[in-house]
């Protein structure tokens, strides 16, 4: 059996070998000699990839021109649409201030409403049938409460007692006349009350406004500019308050409303330098008046007060200083006298401006401050309106105190 299996295997192997030979012979006959693969293969280098700027086809030998030799078509720039002209900022409208004549008359009713506690209180006391010592003490208390001051109060009471004793019977009209005459003696002074705006020189009149913080100096300076413009004066403003934020902007706004130019400097700059420049500009422009708004300062700070003296000295190198107006808040009463004393020691105060006089019943401060400094009250502020600053008229003031 094994012999048979071996014979079959040998037969299968022989058949496979013969078949392979036959197929190989046929394959050799079909391939031409040229197409037979060579023993050594030929390797062909692939074409290089074109780079940016290379031409896709094989370059030909031809003449070339440079970019300068080529006539390029001129591209017309597209016409830009016409730019719309920006509208010029509108100039601020220049106002015509109210004339100064009659301002206090217009404001008299307002003043009377706030001040008549003094005048009417005195008339009520003096109208009693019997004026005993208690009544005269009440009269003294009324005057002292109104900040008239101790010495002026004593003088007024003595004169009233003497005149009432001589007068005998007293009608309401007689009492009113008596009280009016005595109050006028206290309020009126021989010093001129008009703000000096004409010095008779070729240089403009120079007015410096001083005071402590919060009295309304910048606002008063702006309102004073309106008063002067209403009187036909040309004004230059000097914004020498460089320490309070927006003080220069505030003053410039006041000036623009009446057509007055404002000279200003950087915030925190030297006030004396700005005041000097303002006077210089006023001279160059042939202005009538230069108003200088100084920084508010605590009267208890020696350094700040010394600086105020420096501003005064620097201004006087350009032109004489005609007015130094001290702005006082009438509501501060006797405390305003302390401020006034210190300022008077540093600069020569020539006039007083009392603000907020309509908001207090202490009208006696007019008497007290004039007695203390020996200078007159020249202007009073009676409200928040732009034209609520008026020249001080003693008769109109006293009439407002005691009422009609």
């Amino acid at each position: 059996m094994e012999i048979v299996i071996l014979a079959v295997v040998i037969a299968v192997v022989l058949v496979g070998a013969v078949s392979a030979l036959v197929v190989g012979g046929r394959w050799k006959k079909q391939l031409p000699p040229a197409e037979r693969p060579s023993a050594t293969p030929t390797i062909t280098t692939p074409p290089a990839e074109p780079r940016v700027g290379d031409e896709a086809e094989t370059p030909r030998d031809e003449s070339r021109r440079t970019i300068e030799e080529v006539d390029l078509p001129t591209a017309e720039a597209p016409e830009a649409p016409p730019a719309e002209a920006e509208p010029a900022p509108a100039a601020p409208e220049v106002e015509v201030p109210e004339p100064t004549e009659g301002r206090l008359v217009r404001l008299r009713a307002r003043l009377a409403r706030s001040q008549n506690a003094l005048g009417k209180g005195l008339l009520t006391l003096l109208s009693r049938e019997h004026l005993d010592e208690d009544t005269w003490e009440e009269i003294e208390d009324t005057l002292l409460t109104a900040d008239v001051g101790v010495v002026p109060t004593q003088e007024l009471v003595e004169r009233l007692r003497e005149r009432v004793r001589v007068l005998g019977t007293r009608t309401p009209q007689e009492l009113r006349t008596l009280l009016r005459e005595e109050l006028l003696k206290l309020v009126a002074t021989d010093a001129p009350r008009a703000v000096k705006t004409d010095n008779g020189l070729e240089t403009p009149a120079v007015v410096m406004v001083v005071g402590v913080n919060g009295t309304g100096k910048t606002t008063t300076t702006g309102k004073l500019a309106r008063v002067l413009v209403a009187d036909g004066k040309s004004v230059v403003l000097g914004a020498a308050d460089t320490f309070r934020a927006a003080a220069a902007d505030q003053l410039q706004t006041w000036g623009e409303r009446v057509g007055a130019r404002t000279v200003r400097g950087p915030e925190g700059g030297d006030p004396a330098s700005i005041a000097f420049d303002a006077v210089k500009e006023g001279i160059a422009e042939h202005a009538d008046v230069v108003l200088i708004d100084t920084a508010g300062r605590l009267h208890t700070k020696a350094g700040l007060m010394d600086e105020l003296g420096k501003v005064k000295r620097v201004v006087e190198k350009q032109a004489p200083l005609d007015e130094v107006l001290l702005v006082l808040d009438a509501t501060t009463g006797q405390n305003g006298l302390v401020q006034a004393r210190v300022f008077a020691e540093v600069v020569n105060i020539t006039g007083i401006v009392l603000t907020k006089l309509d908001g207090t019943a202490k009208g006696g401060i007019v008497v007290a401050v004039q007695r203390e400094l020996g200078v007159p009250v020249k202007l009073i502020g009676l409200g928040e309106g732009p034209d609520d600053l008026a020249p001080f008229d003693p008769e109109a003031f006293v009439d407002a105190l005691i009422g009609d």
Side-chain angles (χ1 to χ4, degrees):
M1 185 64 182
E2 295 178 356
I3 297 173
V4 174
I5 295 172
L6 181 61
V8 172
V9 172
I10 293 172
V12 172
V13 172
L14 289 175
V15 171
V18 171
S19 299
L21 290 175
V22 173
V23 173
R26 291 179 179 177
W27 175 257
K28 290 179 182 179
K29 289 180 180 181
Q30 292 176 357
L31 290 177
E35 295 180 359
R36 292 177 184 175
S38 60
T40 303
T42 303
I43 300 174
T44 304
T45 304
E49 293 291 333
R51 293 174 297 177
V52 177
D54 291 346
E55 296 183 1
E57 61 183 12
T58 304
R60 297 185 297 270
D61 293 334
E62 60 181 7
S63 60
R64 295 174 177 269
R65 293 179 295 173
T66 63
I67 188 63
E68 291 80 4
E69 297 173 340
V70 178
D71 295 331
L72 298 175
T74 56
E76 296 182 359
E79 294 184 2
E84 296 182 1
E86 295 184 2
E93 183 179 352
V94 177
E95 302 176 7
V96 179
E98 179 183 337
T100 55
E101 294 83 358
R103 280 194 183 190
L104 192 56
V105 175
R106 177 177 63 83
L107 302 172
R108 179 175 166 181
R110 185 185 307 169
L111 183 63
R113 285 196 299 271
S114 61
Q115 300 293 337
N116 58 18
L118 171 61
K120 289 190 175 181
L122 291 176
L123 284 175
T124 301
L125 293 171
L126 291 172
S127 299
R128 291 180 180 178
E129 185 175 354
H130 299 288
L131 296 178
D132 53 15
E133 288 300 321
D134 291 339
T135 302
W136 287 113
E137 287 183 4
E138 288 184 49
I139 292 174
E140 285 187 0
D141 291 342
T142 301
L143 292 168
L144 291 174
T145 303
D147 281 331
V148 172
V150 176
V151 176
T153 294
Q154 292 174 347
E155 294 177 0
L156 178 59
V157 170
E158 286 301 320
R159 290 199 300 267
L160 287 174
R161 294 182 73 153
E162 180 65 26
R163 294 193 62 177
V164 167
R165 186 181 305 113
V166 172
L167 186 63
T169 58
R170 308 175 302 277
T171 65
Q173 185 59 37
E174 288 174 336
L175 283 174
R176 185 183 182 283
T177 301
L178 181 152
L179 184 59
R180 183 179 186 275
E181 291 174 356
E182 294 301 328
L183 287 175
L184 273 176
K185 291 179 183 178
L186 285 180
V187 173
T189 68
D190 296 333
R193 294 190 181 275
V195 177
K196 189 176 180 181
T197 57
D198 187 3
N199 55 17
L201 304 176
E202 295 182 358
T203 57
V206 181
V207 179
M208 189 164 72
V209 182
V210 303
V212 299
N213 295 305
T215 56
K217 287 183 298 68
T218 301
T219 300
T220 299
T221 305
K223 290 182 178 181
L224 179 56
R226 295 179 65 89
V227 171
L228 297 175
V229 170
D231 291 339
K233 303 288 185 181
S234 58
V235 179
V236 171
L237 298 172
D241 184 354
T242 59
F243 298 110
R244 183 171 65 87
D249 293 335
Q250 182 183 357
L251 187 64
Q252 184 170 349
T253 299
W254 278 103
E256 289 174 347
R257 294 172 68 177
V258 293
R261 197 166 92 78
T262 302
V263 177
R264 56 185 296 178
E267 185 175 340
D270 182 18
S273 175
I274 296 172
F276 182 88
D277 290 341
V279 178
K280 184 177 179 180
E281 289 295 328
I283 295 173
E285 296 181 10
H286 302 286
D288 295 317
V289 186
V290 176
L291 293 178
I292 301 174
D293 176 35
T294 61
R297 54 200 73 237
L298 296 173
H299 59 285
T300 56
K301 298 295 184 180
L304 294 176
M305 298 303 294
D306 291 342
E307 187 179 69
L308 182 61
K310 175 188 173 184
V311 173
K312 177 179 179 292
R313 292 190 300 272
V314 169
V315 166
E316 291 176 330
K317 292 181 180 179
Q318 281 280 355
L321 189 58
D322 298 278
E323 288 274 10
V324 178
L325 298 178
L326 174 62
V327 181
L328 293 176
D329 184 343
T331 62
T332 61
Q334 292 294 315
N335 186 46
L337 297 182
V338 179
Q339 302 169 11
R341 294 189 197 106
V342 179
F343 276 92
E345 293 173 0
V346 178
V347 289
N348 183 29
I349 303 296
T350 60
I352 305 296
V353 182
L354 281 176
T355 62
K356 306 177 186 178
L357 196 57
D358 62 326
T360 173
K362 300 183 178 183
I365 189 64
V366 173
V367 176
V369 73
Q370 289 184 149
R371 284 291 191 94
E372 180 68 28
L373 298 183
V375 296
V377 173
K378 293 191 173 184
L379 298 163
I380 56 174
L382 297 169
E384 300 298 328
D387 292 320
D388 286 345
L389 183 72
F392 180 70
D393 183 344
E395 292 189 2
F397 178 73
V398 171
D399 287 341
L401 284 180
I402 62 177
D404 296 328

